[in-house]
Amino acid sequence: MRKEILKMLENNSRIDLHDLAIMMGTDETRVYQEIEKMEKEGIICGYPTLINWDKTGEEKVTALIEVRVTPQRGQGFEKLAERITNYPEVRSVYLMSGAFDFAVFLEGKTLKEVSMFVTSKLSTLDAITSTSTHFVLKKYKDYGIIMLDKPKSSRMKVTL
Amino acid sequence: MRNPLSDTVVQLKPSGIRKFFDVVQEMPDAISLGVGEPDFDTPWHIREEGIYSLERGRTFYTSNAGLMELRQAIARYTYRKCNISYDPKKEILVTVGGSEGIDVALRAMLNPGDEVIIPEPSYVSYVPCVALTGGVPVTIPLQEKNRFKLTEEELLGAITDKTKILVLTFPNNPTGAIMTKEDLEPIARIVREKDLYVISDEIYAELTYGVDHCSIATFPGLRERTIVINGFSKAFAMTGWRLGYAMGPEVILKQMTKIHQYCIMAAPTTSQYAAVEAMNNGEEDVQEMRNAYNHRRRYLVERFKQIGLKCFEPEGAFYIFPSIQEFGMTSEEFATRFLREEKVAVVPGTAFGECGEGFLRVSYAYSLDELKIALGRLERFIDRLRSEKF
C-alpha cells in the first residue's frame, strides 16, 4: 500500500485523500495514517510545487557545479556535504561516481550572483580542490514533468 | 443506369446512433466520456522502435502472415500469459487491428445460412461481418442480473442445427463484464458437445481487475475449435497503429491467411516493428496502465453509488455500464439531453445492440480530473431529472 500511495503522491501531491482512498480500494483514515507515518519516518520529505519560472517574469538562473574534493580524514564526504547543503541558494547536492564528486545545483537571480557564490563561498571551502560551473540555458523536463507545451490531444470525442 | 450497389451492403443496418454522433460533432466544446480507446500515448520506447524502423528504411511489405519475429514474439507472449502454444509459422496471423481478424475469421469459416451466435451488448462489427458472408447472426440479449455473462441456458436456447460459431467477447465492450474460468467451463462443454467453433475476441484480455483473464482456448478440446483474436490497441495503447492478430488451428488459419493475402497483403510494417518491442518489453507499461484504469474504475463505481445510479461493478476493459431505466427515457434520449444540457458525451447502450436499451456506456479512459468534472455534471443532471419527476 505504501508504494502505491507514494507513486500517486509523487504524481500529484495535492490529490484529495478521499479520492486517493477510493482509488486504492481502502478507507481514508488508513491512507491518512500511512502518510503521516511516512512523513515522520522521513520517507515523504515535503510537498513542493514544480514551477516553470521561465513562464513568469521572474529572473532566475540555475547552474550545475561539478565539485572535486579531498575527502577528509574520518568523515569522508559527509561533513562537507552537510556544509554545502546549508546554503539556501543550493537546491540539490548529490554525491556522484565518475570524474567529480559532488553535483551541486544552484539557483540565483543573476549570473553574477551565482558566480560570486562559487568563487567566494564554495571554492574557498578547505576540502574543495576545484569547481566547474555550467549554466542551465533551458529546462525541457524537470522531475519527470515535460515543460514544453503539449499539443492538444487528437483523440476523437466518441468512438465505439 | 443500373443500381451500382450490392443488396447485402445496402441492407446492412447503419449504426443506430448515427444521429447522436452527429449532435456530438456539432458541439466542439463538449467534454466526453464516450471514447473507446486508451487516453495514454503509446509508450515512448515502442514509438521509438517504429521510428527507428523507418530510419533504417524498413518500408517494404512483410510476409503475408506478418514478420516472423513478431509472430514468434506473439507466440511467446501468449504462452507466458495463457499457457497455450501456437506455432508462429502456421497458427498466427498478424492483422490490421483485431477488427480484420474478426472479419477474416468469419469469412474463412462460414457458409451461407450458417448461424453465428453473438451475445449482446457487444462491439458493433460482428453482426454486419456475419451478414456480409451470407451467414445468419443470432443475438443473445445478456442480462444485467447475470452481470452480463453468458449462461449455459442462454447459449443452449440459441443453438439450432445450423449454429456453427459462437462469438465470445470478454472482457466486454461496453459492459465491462468478464468470464472467469468457472463461468467458461459450461460454455466450453456445450461448444464441444454441440460441435461448435468459437471466435473469442480477447482484445481487452490485459485489462482485468482482480481475476486474470482466462481464454476459452485453454479448455480441453477447445484449442482446435477456437480462433483467438487479440491485438495491441487496448493493452499497449496503440489504436492508431492498427495492429492485431489471430491465433488458431492451422486448418482455419491457412484459409484466413489466404483472404488476408488477397485483401490486405500484409499489416503495416512500421507498426509490426513497434509491436515486437511492445511484446518483448511492454509488460511494465501494461501493468502501469492497468493500475491507472483500476484506480479510475474504483473511483467511478464509488461515484455512481453516491449519485445513486444503479450499475454492477465492471471487472474488465475500461467501461462502466450504468442503468438509467428509472428515468423512463430511452438511452438515446438520455444521452442527447445530457449532451445538450451538460455538454458531456456518453454512448447510449443501444449502440451495442437493442438489449443495451436502458443503459449507458461510460468510458474511464480519462484522467481523474476529467472524470471528476464529468461526474459532477452527471450528478447535477440526475438531480434535475429526479426533481422533475416528483
Side-chain angles (χ1 to χ4, degrees):
Chain A
M1 168 144 126
R2 281 194 159 196
K3 196 176 153 197
E4 217 176 333
I5 294 177
L6 288 174
K7 273 176 108 174
M8 299 290 276
L9 286 180
E10 196 178 25
N11 272 328
N12 177 11
S13 61
R14 292 187 63 193
I15 194 165
D16 186 296
L17 290 195
H18 177 68
D19 294 346
L20 179 60
I22 292 171
M23 288 195 286
M24 294 181 43
T26 179
D27 64 282
E28 203 176 332
T29 332
R30 271 198 68 193
V31 172
Y32 184 82
Q33 285 169 347
E34 208 57 46
I35 290 177
E36 216 176 20
K37 266 193 233 158
M38 290 193 284
E39 286 171 356
K40 283 202 184 111
E41 291 167 29
I43 295 172
I44 295 175
C45 309
Y47 302 92
T49 301
L50 186 60
I51 297 167
N52 187 351
W53 285 104
D54 289 348
K55 287 204 164 176
T56 70
E58 202 75 15
E59 280 295 321
K60 262 190 199 291
V61 180
T62 311
L64 158 67
I65 299 145
E66 301 172 7
V67 181
R68 282 171 200 79
V69 306
T70 326
Q72 290 148 299
R73 196 183 195 109
Q75 46 206 16
F77 293 103
E78 299 306 302
K79 183 102 183 262
L80 184 62
E82 213 181 305
R83 279 194 80 163
I84 299 174
T85 58
N86 282 332
Y87 294 107
E89 45 279 74
V90 169
R91 302 290 298 174
S92 320
V93 182
Y94 306 136
L95 180 63
M96 310 293 288
S97 66
F100 58 95
D101 303 302
F102 289 122
V104 176
F105 280 89
L106 265 190
E107 210 172 79
K109 281 201 179 63
T110 59
L111 270 161
K112 201 169 164 196
E113 196 181 287
V114 171
S115 21
M116 282 298 287
F117 176 83
V118 175
T119 48
S120 66
K121 294 190 177 149
L122 208 54
S123 42
T124 56
L125 291 174
D126 265 352
I128 292 184
T129 54
S130 77
T131 65
S132 157
T133 304
H134 310 272
F135 286 99
V136 172
L137 301 180
K138 185 173 176 183
K139 286 182 188 171
Y140 294 96
K141 189 175 182 182
D142 218 355
Y143 297 95
I145 292 179
I146 295 172
M147 304 277 207
L148 305 165
D149 293 327
K150 219 186 161 193
K152 217 174 144 234
S153 165
S154 56
R155 198 158 63 133
M156 296 206 292
K157 282 252 169 65
V158 177
T159 49
L160 296 173
Chain B
M1 209 160 59
R2 284 201 296 174
N3 180 351
L5 302 173
S6 139
D7 295 339
T8 316
V9 173
V10 171
Q11 277 156 21
L12 282 185
K13 264 200 279 177
S15 165
I17 53 157
R18 199 59 261 168
K19 226 169 62 201
F20 175 72
F21 282 165
D22 292 342
V23 182
V24 177
Q25 295 312 323
E26 288 161 22
M27 296 181 63
D29 57 337
I31 59 172
S32 173
L33 298 180
V35 165
E37 60 180 326
D39 58 320
F40 300 102
D41 292 335
T42 306
W44 176 246
H45 64 105
I46 297 173
R47 281 189 271 163
E48 203 173 28
E49 278 305 309
I51 297 167
Y52 182 62
S53 79
L54 289 174
E55 284 175 352
R56 293 284 302 267
R58 290 167 171 165
T59 55
F60 301 99
Y61 295 128
T62 66
S63 69
N64 294 128
L67 280 175
M68 184 44 84
E69 196 187 344
L70 176 57
R71 282 182 278 154
Q72 283 164 345
I74 292 169
R76 281 195 303 273
Y77 168 88
T78 306
Y79 184 74
R80 196 165 78 229
K81 294 276 168 183
C82 302
N83 202 19
I84 179 162
S85 302
Y86 288 101
D87 179 352
K89 285 199 193 74
K90 296 171 183 155
E91 296 181 317
I92 298 178
L93 170 66
V94 179
T95 56
V96 180
S99 332
E100 188 214 334
I102 294 162
D103 180 34
V104 173
L106 287 166
R107 283 202 269 169
M109 293 165 77
L110 287 178
N111 290 307
D114 286 343
E115 290 181 1
V116 180
I117 295 178
I118 303 164
E120 285 186 335
S122 74
Y123 182 64
V124 293
S125 80
Y126 314 108
V127 170
C129 282
V130 170
L132 283 172
T133 65
V136 181
V138 176
T139 58
I140 299 179
L142 298 181
Q143 305 296 317
E144 190 190 24
K145 64 172 199 283
N146 301 327
R147 305 171 68 77
F148 291 107
K149 294 170 191 281
L150 174 63
T151 66
E152 198 175 341
E153 298 73 39
E154 287 168 332
L155 178 57
L156 283 171
I159 293 173
T160 71
D161 306 344
K162 296 204 174 97
T163 308
K164 185 164 187 186
I165 297 175
L166 164 66
V167 175
L168 279 181
T169 59
F170 297 95
N172 182 271
N173 170 13
T175 64
I178 64 167
M179 296 272 284
T180 61
K181 190 156 190 268
E182 293 69 39
D183 299 327
L184 286 170
E185 191 91 57
I187 306 297
R189 200 190 63 238
I190 295 168
V191 167
R192 268 192 314 262
E193 282 170 9
K194 302 286 182 181
D195 193 15
L196 307 181
Y197 288 89
V198 178
I199 295 179
S200 185
D201 182 349
E202 302 178 11
I203 192 82
Y204 290 97
E206 283 280 12
L207 302 179
T208 62
Y209 314 104
V211 206
D212 279 344
H213 173 71
C214 173
S215 173
I216 195 163
T218 56
F219 284 84
L222 265 286
R223 189 189 175 287
E224 302 79 69
R225 296 180 172 277
T226 305
I227 298 295
V228 174
I229 306 289
N230 207 328
F232 298 86
S233 296
K234 317 295 175 175
F236 299 95
M238 292 179 72
T239 47
W241 300 77
R242 306 308 308 124
L243 207 67
Y245 50 92
M247 302 178 294
E250 183 186 354
V251 57
I252 307 175
L253 258 288
K254 199 172 166 186
Q255 302 306 320
M256 287 173 63
T257 308
K258 193 160 75 186
I259 307 172
H260 171 82
Q261 173 191 338
Y262 287 132
C263 48
I264 299 290
M265 187 79 186
T269 302
T270 312
S271 304
Q272 291 192 55
Y273 278 104
V276 172
E277 172 68 14
M279 289 271 99
N280 292 339
N281 299 310
E283 188 73 40
E284 256 178 62
D285 306 293
V286 173
Q287 178 67 39
E288 212 155 281
M289 291 190 270
R290 186 192 299 123
N291 273 345
Y293 291 132
N294 195 14
H295 289 153
R296 300 156 178 192
R297 180 185 69 102
R298 288 182 184 137
Y299 177 77
L300 272 197
V301 169
E302 184 62 30
R303 282 295 274 134
F304 277 115
K305 244 188 243 165
Q306 285 169 4
I307 297 172
L309 211 52
K310 195 175 140 238
C311 77
F312 83 105
E313 187 175 336
E315 294 173 276
F318 38 62
Y319 309 104
I320 186 163
F321 205 58
S323 159
I324 46 127
Q325 281 149 5
E326 60 167 302
F327 302 104
M329 279 189 254
T330 66
S331 299
E332 189 162 351
E333 280 164 5
F334 186 104
T336 309
R337 259 194 77 180
F338 185 35
L339 177 65
R340 288 202 194 281
E341 293 177 26
E342 294 288 346
K343 294 201 162 54
V344 181
V346 294
V347 181
T350 39
F352 306 95
E354 276 164 34
C355 64
E357 187 57 89
F359 296 91
L360 299 174
R361 188 194 74 174
V362 175
S363 163
Y364 49 89
Y366 292 90
S367 71
L368 182 66
D369 291 341
E370 290 171 301
L371 290 177
K372 272 186 146 170
I373 296 169
L375 266 287
R377 295 191 193 179
L378 180 65
E379 188 165 29
R380 193 163 64 190
F381 181 63
I382 282 176
D383 285 348
R384 195 156 63 239
L385 289 182
R386 284 185 179 141
S387 65
E388 275 171 22
K389 231 168 97 186
F390 301 110

